[in-house]
Amino acid sequence: MDALHTRTLQQLDAAHHLHPFNDNGALAEQGTRILTRGQGCYVWDAEGHQLLDAFAGLWCVNIGYGRAELGHAAARQMQQLAYYNSFFQCTTEPTIQLAAKLAELAPGDLNHAFFTNSGSEANDTILRLVRHFWAVQDQPRKNIFIGRHDGYHGTTMAGASLGGMKGMHRQGGLPIPDIHHIDPPYGFGDGGELDPDDYGLLAARRLEAKILALGPERVAAFIGEPVMGAIGVYIPPRTYWPEIERICRRYDVLLVADEVICGFGRTGQWFGAQTYGFQPDVMTLAKGITSGYVPLGAAMFNDRVAGVLKAQGGELAHGCTYSGHPVCAAVALENLRILQHERIVEHARDGIAAYLAQRWAELGEHPLVGEARIVGLMGALELVPDKTRRDCFPDRGRVGALCRDIARRNGLILRATHDAMLLSPPLVISREQVDELFEKTWKSLGETAAAMGK
Ligand SMILES: *Cc1c(COP(=O)(O)O)cnc(C)c1O
């Protein structure tokens, strides 16, 4: 793209486009970066720079960019039947096939899909249908959801309320009523000198204390990301989720796993719940379900919840025009076919995860890095002022943003949350690309330290 055209587009963008999760005033001054092309693990920007996308778009491009098969699947379905709804006793073939495919892939008896356009809407769906599930069983007061401070469940009213991001709650009067939060499992910041297994139990038992404080007859469900993504890839100790599951069963609280990031291979198994050895009653899906090629979300319910909704739920007064959109379903099916046929999840786990973990641990040796943590293909580097301690930088977020911008100039996309550098590459990343990731990250850490005058 020539420089004049790029500049024109940036001016139009500044004049007419409000960006999510941006300071729009500052962005308009600075000019948006326009991405133009993607192939495999790389994207190119309007200036022609090639960037290694170690964040897979936004945790989603699991099969990598540029897979023509997904475009063909969309084109075929558009020509055959571009749209039909799933309201009024109807649906389409790809929608049915996708629901069946998800039931086959999802662990245990998570056999029932409700489709949405996004992860946020799937969580809205879960909030409504789970409350409805209890209400039709004569427990209308069992309506409280417990999430976690700093959790992320999307940006709709319910999604942002279930999430625990204070900055989000401040905009728009959130959280909505009957949503509570407990502290997350964050060993680096909160675990002190505790053994990780002990810390995992301690962090999980915060749920039990909260349920008892509210009264088990009030608590409908607990929702959590198997690995907390957006806040900075908080990897729980292995004791955490089994203990959460035990507590949920004990008080008959439904367990909702928000698998929007963890699902479809990110943690080395198809779902994060499998990596951590627990069985959710309800699961949120989006992102990797289509590798981000088209928007799609789903809420998966187990036999118990779906059974009650079918037997006693009456007409579900809920749904989106595009619930089960045939084009999105066709693309999802093709994405899942490729993931299975090319054994991408298994190759990522057995072929690349160990090597990536080894190189990530080497990055942990850098003087700026307080902790390098990783599970599967999802990791974080915690940047700290003093490697021997776990203190944060005083002006939280500045160093992370600096490192992110330097990495970008070095041809590497990493995300920064506060002062943690987050990693989530396409699952198809090769050993050579892991080496490139290492080199560019190490160089960027050094330049960050230099820019800070260290
Ligand atoms: C991205 C995300 C969501 C929201 O999905 P959208 O498609 O952006 O609405 C929900 N939960 C988690 C864990 C996410 O990472």
Side-chain angles (χ1 to χ4, degrees):
M1 201 180 282
D2 70 55
L4 184 62
H5 186 50
T6 303
R7 190 72 204 114
T8 306
L9 286 176
Q10 286 171 325
Q11 282 162 358
L12 289 172
D13 189 70
H16 304 296
H17 181 195
L18 288 171
H19 287 245
F21 288 104
N22 266 280
D23 176 333
N24 280 275
L27 181 65
E29 288 290 306
Q30 175 196 331
T32 327
R33 192 178 306 265
I34 301 168
L35 282 301
T36 55
R37 190 161 74 82
Q39 189 63 46
C41 294
Y42 296 97
V43 292
W44 284 261
D45 68 16
E47 281 91 44
H49 301 121
Q50 178 177 331
L51 299 153
L52 176 63
D53 183 7
F55 203 65
L58 198 44
W59 319 93
C60 56
V61 188
N62 290 10
I63 61 166
Y65 296 92
R67 293 294 303 239
E69 300 94 319
L70 272 64
H72 296 150
R76 263 197 314 274
Q77 186 58 42
M78 278 188 193
Q79 282 158 13
Q80 169 95 23
L81 177 65
Y83 173 75
Y84 208 76
N85 66 62
S86 293
F87 295 16
F88 321 135
Q89 297 140 16
C90 297
T91 194
T92 68
E93 174 164 359
T95 314
I96 297 170
Q97 299 285 13
L98 180 60
K101 186 75 195 170
L102 293 172
E104 172 199 315
L105 289 171
D109 65 344
L110 287 159
N111 289 324
H112 312 269
F114 190 103
F115 291 112
T116 63
N117 306 294
S118 67
S120 303
E121 290 169 340
N123 282 327
D124 275 54
T125 298
I126 289 166
L127 182 80
R128 291 194 66 197
L129 296 194
V130 164
R131 285 178 171 174
H132 187 50
F133 162 84
W134 290 116
V136 300
Q137 297 177 95
D138 294 327
Q139 296 187 74
R141 278 171 42 79
K142 199 167 167 71
N143 70 340
I144 291 178
F145 270 62
I146 300 174
R148 292 173 301 176
H149 297 297
D150 290 328
Y152 187 80
H153 300 295
T155 64
T156 50
M157 295 295 275
S161 296
L162 293 167
M165 302 273 185
K166 294 215 169 42
M168 293 176 72
H169 289 173
R170 274 196 289 274
Q171 297 177 1
L174 303 179
I176 57 176
D178 292 321
I179 294 179
H180 292 253
H181 300 88
I182 59 172
D183 282 334
Y186 178 40
F188 182 75
D190 175 48
E193 297 310 312
L194 276 182
D195 171 73
D197 285 354
D198 294 338
Y199 176 67
L201 294 176
L202 180 148
R205 286 177 190 154
R206 292 169 183 155
L207 176 61
E208 188 156 35
K210 183 62 103 179
I211 292 172
L212 290 173
L214 293 163
E217 73 288 354
R218 291 293 327 271
V219 183
F222 171 73
I223 183 168
E225 306 154 76
V227 177
M228 295 172 76
I231 187 56
V233 185
Y234 288 4
I235 300 174
R238 62 191 176 149
T239 50
Y240 181 79
W241 278 108
E243 182 67 0
I244 290 280
E245 182 175 34
R246 182 193 69 75
I247 293 164
C248 287
R249 301 286 169 252
R250 172 149 188 214
Y251 301 102
D252 201 14
V253 166
L254 293 181
L255 176 49
V256 184
D258 184 336
E259 295 265 5
V260 171
I261 290 175
C262 294
F264 307 102
R266 178 58 55 202
T267 64
Q269 305 275 343
W270 275 82
F271 298 97
Q274 294 164 325
T275 299
Y276 289 101
F278 70 100
Q279 178 59 46
D281 300 299
V282 182
M283 208 160 80
T284 321
L285 302 176
K287 294 194 171 111
I289 193 172
T290 59
S291 284
Y293 279 55
V294 292
L296 180 71
M300 298 293 297
F301 297 95
N302 68 5
D303 290 344
R304 177 190 178 195
V305 177
V308 167
L309 292 176
K310 283 181 182 176
Q312 294 160 254
E315 179 181 319
L316 290 184
H318 183 77
C320 314
T321 301
Y322 300 135
S323 283
H325 195 291
V327 174
C328 301
V331 172
L333 280 167
E334 183 60 11
N335 175 57
L336 298 177
R337 188 193 68 74
I338 291 173
L339 281 175
Q340 280 194 305
H341 181 71
E342 299 180 9
R343 299 182 51 78
I344 288 174
V345 176
E346 293 76 9
H347 280 305
R349 181 188 63 214
D350 304 331
I352 206 72
Y355 186 61
L356 181 62
Q358 176 200 323
R359 304 245 64 188
W360 201 245
E362 287 174 49
L363 291 169
E365 302 296 311
H366 196 279
L368 205 53
V369 178
E371 181 177 75
R373 51 179 180 263
I374 192 162
V375 56
L377 278 75
M378 184 174 184
L381 300 174
E382 200 74 68
L383 308 188
V384 290
D386 176 354
K387 197 175 172 61
T388 62
R389 305 161 58 103
R390 294 191 197 159
D391 305 337
C392 312
F393 288 102
D395 44 354
R396 247 183 132 194
R398 194 181 62 82
V399 176
L402 179 67
C403 183
R404 176 199 62 205
D405 293 346
I406 288 172
R408 190 79 88 115
R409 283 199 290 279
N410 287 328
L412 172 69
I413 300 178
L414 290 171
R415 174 173 173 178
T417 297
H418 299 309
D419 296 308
M421 307 312 298
L422 310 190
L423 171 77
S424 162
L427 304 184
V428 296
I429 190 169
S430 67
R431 275 178 86 92
E432 295 70 34
Q433 288 162 344
V434 169
D435 290 336
E436 180 184 345
L437 166 75
F438 173 86
E439 302 296 339
K440 289 186 165 160
T441 307
W442 187 268
K443 178 165 188 266
S444 303
L445 289 169
E447 290 175 16
T448 303
M452 292 160 59
K454 278 200 131 187

